[in-house]
Amino acid sequence: EAQVTQNPRYLITVTGKKLTVTCSQNMNHEYMSWYRQDPGLGLRQIYYSMNVEVTDKGDVPEGYKVSRKEKRNFPLILESPSPNQTSLYFCASSLGAGFEQYFGPGTRLTVT
Amino acid sequence: RKEVEQDPGPFNVPEGATVAFNCTYSNSASQSFFWYRQDCRKEPKLLMSVYSSGNEDGRFTAQLNRASQYISLLIRDSKLSDSATYLCVVNNRGGYQKVTFGIGTKLQVIP
């Protein structure tokens, strides 16, 4: 089954404790992306990757890191989480930026 | 001005009604346009792509107006199951590989 998986689905953590949210896709897509969704602000792109070892900033990259060492995986790293990073995070993949995006189920992160 | 603007609603319409949403975008170099549907904090899913010639899928019609820089979504004969948030998406703004979502328009179809 073609899918995008994210883990964990729910995470509660404390300020400053490094965390990683994993994302994996099995569709051999080149383009992968991370978004955060906040009430009143909609979905905002954090980082995207056009292929292995090629990543670039989206609209809200501050406080986040990503890596793309393998085509199927695109982890999101928060080196020092802060309460303003409390949000619903989605990973997505597609053939390219101009194509349909397939989303993971989301990760609800709370930073206290 | 925001890159992509939508009226957040909510739009409350009776079953069987026709409802239309617009979405404006600011960058004339934008290349790809989509409508996604999102149910209550679940992941967005593609509803339909928006082509220059317009496209139709059953009760849904999407159109693109490049001159006025907006896309539209028309839903005919609304069903209770159409209740959701509809997100417009603009890709490849100005040659960059970014993707921009509108804030979404909430539709509630009432019996």
Side-chain angles (χ1 to χ4, degrees):
Chain A
E1 179 192 355
Q3 60 181 353
V4 178
T5 56
Q6 290 179 233
N7 282 292
R9 294 288 312 279
Y10 302 91
L11 179 59
I12 300 173
T13 189
V14 296
T15 299
K17 187 176 181 182
K18 181 179 178 180
L19 67 91
T20 299
V21 184
T22 63
C23 173
S24 183
Q25 51 96 2
N26 63 0
M27 294 169 278
N28 202 35
H29 285 164
E30 292 188 348
Y31 189 93
M32 296 187 74
S33 190
W34 276 103
Y35 299 89
R36 62 178 289 174
Q37 187 171 33
D38 303 288
L41 296 175
L43 275 154
R44 294 178 293 167
Q45 194 173 38
I46 303 171
Y47 268 95
Y48 62 92
S49 169
M50 289 181 284
N51 214 324
V52 175
E53 303 291 4
V54 181
T55 63
D56 208 347
K57 296 176 181 178
D59 290 319
V60 288
E62 295 77 21
Y64 304 95
K65 285 176 57 178
V66 294
S67 68
R68 188 92 179 271
K69 293 184 170 57
E70 305 166 284
K71 199 170 187 178
R72 64 183 293 125
N73 296 324
F74 190 45
L76 179 70
I77 302 157
L78 284 72
E79 294 269 2
S80 183
S82 62
N84 65 12
Q85 292 178 299
T86 292
S87 188
L88 177 59
Y89 291 86
F90 289 104
C91 178
S93 75
S94 65
L95 291 171
F99 293 86
E100 173 186 2
Q101 297 204 56
Y102 295 82
F103 284 82
T107 294
R108 193 174 295 277
L109 172 66
T110 301
V111 183
T112 61
Chain B
R1 183 182 174 187
K2 288 184 181 177
E3 295 276 357
V4 179
E5 291 202 69
Q6 286 184 261
D7 181 345
F11 284 56
N12 297 315
V13 302
E15 268 187 292
T18 296
V19 61
F21 309 134
N22 280 348
C23 169
T24 59
Y25 61 94
S26 61
N27 193 324
S28 59
S30 300
Q31 297 177 10
S32 307
F33 309 88
F34 303 85
W35 284 102
Y36 282 73
R37 170 188 169 134
Q38 186 177 27
D39 294 295
C40 200
R41 303 293 268 178
K42 292 197 170 182
E43 71 270 25
K45 293 185 179 177
L46 181 71
L47 179 67
M48 54 200 311
S49 304
V50 187
Y51 305 121
S52 296
S53 56
N55 53 315
E56 187 173 317
D57 183 3
R59 298 181 292 109
F60 298 84
T61 300
Q63 299 210 313
L64 166 64
N65 186 317
R66 282 196 183 272
S68 300
Q69 294 183 203
Y70 74 86
I71 62 174
S72 64
L73 177 67
L74 182 78
I75 305 175
R76 288 179 296 276
D77 188 24
S78 300
K79 311 291 184 191
L80 294 175
S81 57
D82 294 333
S83 297
T85 297
Y86 292 85
L87 307 167
C88 75
V89 180
V90 176
N91 296 5
N92 296 19
R93 295 177 288 125
Y96 294 98
Q97 299 298 312
K98 290 183 181 179
V99 176
T100 302
F101 280 75
I103 197 171
T105 297
K106 187 171 183 179
L107 172 67
Q108 185 69 46
V109 181
I110 50 183

